[in-house]
Amino acid sequence: MAEIMEPKNFIHAFIEEDIAEGGQFAGQTVHTRFPPEPNGYLHIGHCKALTINFSTALKFNGLCNLRMDDTNPAKEDTEYVEAIQEDIHWLGFDWDDRFFYGSDYFEKTYEFAEELIQKGLAYVCELTPEQFREYRGDLNTPATSPYRDRPMEESLDLFRRMRAGEFEDNRYTLRAKIDLASGNFNMRDPVLYRIRHVDHHRQGTKWCIYPMYDFAHPIQDALEGITHSLCSLEFENHRPLYNWVVEHVSVDHHPRQIEFARLGIDHTVLSKRKLRQLVEEHRVSGWDDPRMPTLCGLRRRGYTPKSIRNFCERIGVAKAPNTVEYAFLEHCLRDNLNETATRVMAVIDPVKLTVTNYPEGQTETFEVENNPVVENSGTRPVTFSRELWIEREDFMEEKVGKFFRLFPGNEVRLKGAYVVKCTGCVKDETGKIVEVLCTYDPESRGGNPADGRKVKSTIHWVDAGNCYDAEVRLYSNLFDDPDPDAAGKDFLACLNPNSLEIKTGCKVEASLADTKPTDRFQFMRQGYFCADSRDSTSEHLVFNRAVSLKDSFKPGK
C-alpha cells in the first residue's frame, strides 16, 4: 500500500471542517472515489487525480472506491478497464471490494429521471443538435425550448418509449427544467439523457438511452455514500448542477464536490483523443510506448511507482492551473533511482581496448560496489582480461581542450580495476579507429597507483571475453515544443523526430544476463535503464533509458 500524503492542502482543510463537530459529515468516515472513463489508458494527469483521491482517503483512515465511468458506450472497452486496474495497483493503491461500474446504476438512474419528470423538473425535448445550439442563447439572451412546457404525462410517455427503442438517435433528449436564463450555461436546462443505439461493453443492447455524465455522476456518488467528490477544476462550473441533482432526486446522501487544478506538464499532451491519435496513426508503437505520458508507457520506460507518487505529492494541490516542467518528473525519478538502482557497466558505442602488457589468456575478478550512496549495498564480481570494450568517445587520437580521458601518453583509471596508459590506436582501411592500445600498471590494482600519483579521469569498461550484446534505446521528449497543446497549434507538427535513438551492438557486463523489467540500473556515466518489458529476452537484451544522469531541473526555480 502506498504511503499517505502528509502535506496538508486546502482539500484536507475542507475535509477537517466537514468531519469536525458541527460539520456536514461529522462522525462519518471520509469516503472518496476515482471514476476514470475506460476509453483509454491512464496518463500522468490522471495519476494526480487518483493519487489525491486514494491518498486523501488514506490520510483520514477512510475509503476510496474505484468506479468505471462507462456511461458512454461508444469508446469503452474491457481492455481499458483491466489496464486501469493494473496501473492503480502498480502505483500501490487498492480499493479492496469497492470496485463499481457506472452502468451498475443504469436502472436506478432511469428511475430518478422518471421521478424528475413526475415532479415537473424534467421534460422530453425534440430540438435537433443544430437547433439546440441555435436556441442556447448568450450571456444577454436566455435559452429557449418550445418543448419546455410539454405536459408531464406526455414527457413520461415519450421517455418510456425512448427507452423501449422506438426512436432513432438524436430524435429526443430528456432535459432538466432549471433556469434558461442562468449565467451558468450548465444550468440552462441541461440534457440528462440521449438516445444512442450502440452496444455497451457490459450491458449489450439492453439500453438505447444513456445518462449524461453530469446527471449520472452525482447519483452514483450519492448511492455509494461518497462524502467528498474530488475532481478537476473543469467541473467547478458543473458543481451547481451536481448539487441540483442530489437535492432533487430521492437519495439520502449529499456528497460535497471539491475541485482542484488539473496537472499541466510541458513537452507533452494529456488529451486522450490526441494520445489515441498518436497510437492509431502509428506515430508511436502503442499506448505503452516509453515516450508516451501513459502510466504503462512510463512503467515500460523505467519509472517507478514511488517516483511518480513523489512527483504528484511534491507538485502539491492547487486551485490555480499551472504547468509543471517535465524535467521535475525526471528529477523525482533520479532521486528515487539514485538510492535504489544498482550501478553497472555498459558500453553503448564500443571500441576495443587492448591491454598489450596484460598476459594473454589470463582473467581476474574484481569486486565492484553495487551502489556507493547506499550503505551495505554489497558488491558484485566483474571480470577483467587483456581485451576490453570502452566508449568510443573516451578516446581521442589528438587531445582537444580539457579532455582527460584516453589519448596517447595519458593515463586513466579503469573503474575498479587498474590504471592504464594509452599507447596508440589501430585503424581500418577507411581510417576508422577499430582498436585502442594501452598498457596497465600492475601495482595499481583497484585503481589506486602505488606511488600515489594523481589520475584525473575514470572511465567504465566491459570485459570483451565475458559480456553480452544488447540493444539500447535512448529516449527524449516526444515533443520538442514545450507547449504542443496550445491553441492554434498542430500538435503533430510539434513531434520531436529525434525522440528515440536506437543503438545496436552495445556491450553490457555479464551480471545483466538475467535482467527483469522491474530491475533498474545506473549504467555508469550514461543514465538509468531497465530491460524493455516487451522486446527484451535472454537471447536479445533490450534496455530503455528511463532518464539521463544530467538533471536540468533546478529546485526553487
Side-chain angles (χ1 to χ4, degrees), residues 429-458:
E429 61 276 7
T430 67
K432 180 181 179 180
I433 296 168
V434 294
E435 184 179 11
V436 178
L437 306 175
C438 70
T439 58
Y440 85 113
D441 177 1
E443 301 301 317
S444 64
R445 196 176 198 282
N448 297 309
D451 60 7
R453 67 186 184 277
K454 292 184 178 179
V455 179
K456 289 186 176 180
S457 185
T458 300

Side-chain angles (χ1 to χ4, degrees), residues 40-277:
Y41 287 74
L42 295 184
H43 56 60
I44 190 68
H46 298 118
C47 188
K48 177 180 178 181
L50 77 89
T51 299
I52 288 172
N53 276 283
F54 279 97
S55 294
T56 297
L58 285 169
K59 179 179 176 65
F60 290 97
N61 295 314
L63 305 171
C64 184
N65 293 2
L66 175 60
R67 182 198 313 139
M68 296 296 153
D69 170 31
D70 61 344
T71 55
N72 179 5
K75 300 177 182 178
E76 292 155 3
D77 195 280
T78 303
E79 171 193 352
Y80 301 131
V81 173
E82 294 172 352
I84 289 168
Q85 292 175 300
E86 180 182 1
D87 285 341
I88 296 173
H89 273 144
W90 175 71
L91 280 173
F93 297 111
D94 200 4
W95 50 87
D96 298 323
D97 59 348
R98 295 180 303 281
F99 176 68
F100 305 98
Y101 288 91
S103 56
D104 291 340
Y105 307 102
F106 276 177
E107 191 65 49
K108 196 66 179 173
T109 305
Y110 175 85
E111 291 174 10
F112 288 135
E114 284 204 358
E115 178 186 346
L116 290 178
I117 295 172
Q118 291 166 342
K119 288 179 176 179
L121 296 175
Y123 60 96
V124 170
C125 180
E126 51 190 282
L127 291 177
T128 66
E130 294 74 23
Q131 290 172 327
F132 195 93
R133 287 189 290 271
E134 179 185 347
Y135 288 30
R136 192 165 182 250
D138 54 36
L139 289 175
N140 300 311
T141 309
T144 57
S145 172
Y147 307 101
R148 196 170 198 261
D149 296 322
R150 189 191 294 274
M152 178 272 289
E153 294 80 6
E154 186 179 335
S155 282
L156 190 60
D157 176 64
L158 283 171
F159 188 52
R160 289 171 177 172
R161 291 166 64 193
M162 286 166 60
R163 174 177 179 169
E166 289 189 27
F167 309 113
E168 70 276 10
D169 288 1
N170 300 320
R171 178 69 179 83
Y172 293 106
T173 58
L174 180 70
R175 297 176 65 178
K177 187 183 289 187
I178 305 179
D179 182 2
L180 289 175
S182 175
N184 184 341
F185 279 59
N186 295 301
M187 301 297 282
R188 291 190 173 191
D189 289 12
V191 172
L192 304 182
Y193 267 89
R194 77 285 200 209
I195 302 172
R196 297 293 302 277
H197 289 274
V198 179
D199 280 6
H200 189 276
H201 75 110
R202 294 184 68 244
Q203 302 286 338
T205 57
K206 179 178 179 181
W207 293 90
C208 61
I209 57 171
Y210 291 94
M212 302 299 289
Y213 180 84
D214 278 344
F215 182 55
H217 185 68
I219 289 172
Q220 294 160 10
D221 283 352
L223 293 175
E224 290 178 11
I226 302 303
T227 58
H228 295 87
S229 180
L230 310 179
C231 56
S232 53
L233 203 58
E234 67 197 272
F235 292 102
E236 185 173 36
N237 289 336
H238 296 247
R239 192 194 323 149
L241 179 54
Y242 182 101
N243 293 335
W244 185 90
V245 171
V246 295
E247 287 165 4
H248 288 90
V249 299
S250 301
V251 290
D252 297 327
H253 200 76
H254 290 191
R256 177 180 181 178
Q257 178 175 303
I258 304 174
E259 307 87 15
F260 54 85
R262 297 178 71 175
L263 171 64
I265 189 166
D266 66 10
H267 290 94
T268 192
V269 296
L270 296 178
S271 156
K272 273 188 187 177
R273 177 183 61 81
K274 291 180 178 178
L275 294 177
R276 183 190 298 275
Q277 187 175 346

Side-chain angles (χ1 to χ4, degrees), residues 503-524:
K503 299 286 190 179
T504 57
C506 307
K507 310 294 181 180
V508 299
E509 66 175 66
S511 66
L512 296 177
D514 299 317
T515 298
K516 301 184 293 295
T518 51
D519 299 331
R520 306 287 186 272
F521 302 96
Q522 184 194 105
F523 286 5
M524 292 179 187

Side-chain angles (χ1 to χ4, degrees), residues 211-506:
M212 302 299 289
Y213 180 84
D214 278 344
F215 182 55
H217 185 68
I219 289 172
Q220 294 160 10
D221 283 352
L223 293 175
E224 290 178 11
I226 302 303
T227 58
H228 295 87
S229 180
L230 310 179
C231 56
S232 53
L233 203 58
E234 67 197 272
F235 292 102
E236 185 173 36
N237 289 336
H238 296 247
R239 192 194 323 149
L241 179 54
Y242 182 101
N243 293 335
W244 185 90
V245 171
V246 295
E247 287 165 4
H248 288 90
V249 299
S250 301
V251 290
D252 297 327
H253 200 76
H254 290 191
R256 177 180 181 178
Q257 178 175 303
I258 304 174
E259 307 87 15
F260 54 85
R262 297 178 71 175
L263 171 64
I265 189 166
D266 66 10
H267 290 94
T268 192
V269 296
L270 296 178
S271 156
K272 273 188 187 177
R273 177 183 61 81
K274 291 180 178 178
L275 294 177
R276 183 190 298 275
Q277 187 175 346
L278 291 174
V279 173
E280 292 177 348
E281 294 183 5
H282 304 291
R283 309 274 182 164
V284 293
S285 62
W287 286 97
D288 67 346
D289 187 299
R291 295 166 292 179
M292 291 279 275
T294 53
L295 292 184
C296 57
L298 292 169
R299 178 165 67 246
R300 182 178 172 191
R301 181 160 172 171
Y303 275 77
T304 62
K306 184 174 182 179
S307 67
I308 294 177
R309 292 197 308 268
N310 286 348
F311 169 74
C312 293
E313 179 178 336
R314 292 168 68 179
I315 61 176
V317 181
K319 264 288 190 184
N322 66 325
T323 300
V324 180
E325 294 177 67
Y326 196 93
F328 183 53
L329 177 60
E330 295 179 324
H331 174 78
C332 291
L333 180 59
R334 287 189 194 92
D335 266 5
N336 182 206
L337 294 183
N338 183 51
E339 297 180 349
T340 59
T342 298
R343 275 54 169 169
V344 298
M345 292 192 284
V347 178
I348 293 177
D349 185 13
V351 65
K352 183 71 66 69
L353 176 69
T354 301
V355 188
T356 57
N357 63 334
Y358 193 84
E360 289 191 38
Q362 180 174 313
T363 301
E364 59 184 306
T365 300
F366 292 89
E367 290 294 324
V368 181
E369 74 269 21
N370 288 326
N371 191 328
V373 304
V374 177
E375 225 179 306
N376 302 319
S377 61
T379 62
R380 70 189 184 286
V382 176
T383 60
F384 181 93
S385 64
R386 179 185 173 91
E387 293 187 343
L388 311 171
W389 294 107
I390 61 168
E391 293 290 347
R392 184 171 297 275
E393 66 177 16
D394 284 341
F395 171 76
M396 293 183 73
E397 192 172 3
E398 293 183 13
K399 178 186 177 183
V400 176
K402 296 182 179 180
F403 184 80
F404 297 113
R405 283 165 277 168
L406 285 170
F407 57 88
N410 193 48
E411 287 188 320
V412 301
R413 182 182 295 105
L414 297 180
K415 172 68 179 176
Y418 290 108
V419 171
V420 298
K421 177 183 284 189
C422 181
T423 58
C425 65
V426 178
K427 301 178 182 179
D428 65 14
E429 61 276 7
T430 67
K432 180 181 179 180
I433 296 168
V434 294
E435 184 179 11
V436 178
L437 306 175
C438 70
T439 58
Y440 85 113
D441 177 1
E443 301 301 317
S444 64
R445 196 176 198 282
N448 297 309
D451 60 7
R453 67 186 184 277
K454 292 184 178 179
V455 179
K456 289 186 176 180
S457 185
T458 300
I459 67 173
H460 62 282
W461 52 276
V462 170
D463 182 0
N466 187 26
C467 68
Y468 289 88
D469 283 347
E471 177 182 313
V472 171
R473 297 171 181 176
L474 305 177
Y475 294 98
S476 54
N477 288 325
L478 184 57
F479 296 92
D480 50 19
D481 187 314
D483 191 11
D485 216 11
K489 284 185 183 177
D490 175 5
F491 80 106
L492 295 177
C494 300
L495 284 166
N496 176 9
N498 302 311
S499 60
L500 169 60
E501 185 179 1
I502 298 176
K503 299 286 190 179
T504 57
C506 307

